[in-house]
Amino acid sequence: MSVYYCHTCAAIKGWMTAASPASLTGTEYQLEKYIKHTTASASAAYPIVSIFDNPSYDIYRVHVVNTSASGSLEIDDQGRRNLIWVAGQQVGFTVREGKIVTPDNAVKVVLYNNEWKIHAFPTSSDRFETRRCMECGKLIVS
C-alpha cells in the first residue's frame, strides 16, 4: 500500500531531492514517455493514455517543476517516489480506445528520484483522494 506525505514533511525527511536530469528526454525511456504523453497519435498505440494539451518541451518541463515545487509525495509499494499536483486548470486529457474520456487537471511525476526515468503525465484529480500526511496529519491530495 502506498504512503503519502505533504510536500513540507517529505522535504524535511530529505525525500524531495529531485533527480537533476540535464534533459527530461535524455534517455530512450524518457523520450518514449515524452512522446507518449505529448502526441495525440500515441493514443492509437495504447488502449488508454493521457496526453498533455501542449506538446512543447518547455511546458512539459514547467509541469515537472511545478509538481516538484508543490506536489504531495507518494511512496508506492516498490519504494518508488512519485509526486501528485492538482494544477487548478486543464493540462491535458485521457483517451481510452481512441475516445476522450476525461479532461485532466492534475500532473503526476513518476520515478521522481531517478534521473534516467523521471517523467510526467496529466491525470484527473478525480483519480485522487484527500488523505492525511503520514507525518503531520495535514490534508493532502493523494
Side-chain angles (χ1 to χ4, degrees):
M1 176 186 273
S2 295
V3 292
Y4 301 91
Y5 295 88
C6 71
H7 192 274
T8 302
C9 288
I12 289 169
K13 290 184 166 289
W15 294 334
M16 293 306 292
T17 304
S20 298
S23 169
L24 292 166
T25 56
T27 67
E28 187 174 321
Y29 177 86
Q30 288 173 311
L31 181 59
E32 176 189 326
K33 297 300 182 183
Y34 172 76
I35 291 169
K36 176 182 178 181
H37 294 295
T38 61
T39 309
S41 61
S43 65
Y46 301 93
I48 186 167
V49 65
S50 58
I51 302 167
F52 284 106
D53 283 344
N54 188 326
S56 159
Y57 177 81
D58 288 335
I59 298 298
Y60 180 80
R61 187 179 68 226
V62 165
H63 288 312
V64 172
V65 169
N66 287 343
T67 305
S68 300
S70 302
S72 58
L73 176 69
E74 169 193 52
I75 301 177
D76 70 15
D77 294 342
Q78 296 177 23
R80 296 175 296 199
R81 287 188 237 162
N82 307 310
L83 299 177
I84 300 162
W85 175 62
V86 177
Q89 65 184 14
Q90 184 173 330
V91 296
F93 51 92
T94 296
V95 176
R96 179 175 290 155
E97 297 174 0
K99 295 181 183 169
I100 295 174
V101 292
T102 60
D104 292 335
N105 64 342
V107 177
K108 189 164 185 176
V109 174
V110 295
L111 302 169
Y112 178 68
N113 59 324
N114 183 329
E115 71 176 302
W116 308 112
K117 292 190 174 184
I118 183 175
H119 64 280
F121 59 87
T123 189
S124 173
S125 62
D126 291 346
R127 293 189 177 103
F128 302 120
E129 298 177 26
T130 302
R131 300 178 197 250
R132 297 213 173 262
C133 171
M134 294 294 291
E135 187 71 18
C136 72
K138 176 182 174 184
L139 283 176
I140 56 172
V141 175
S142 57

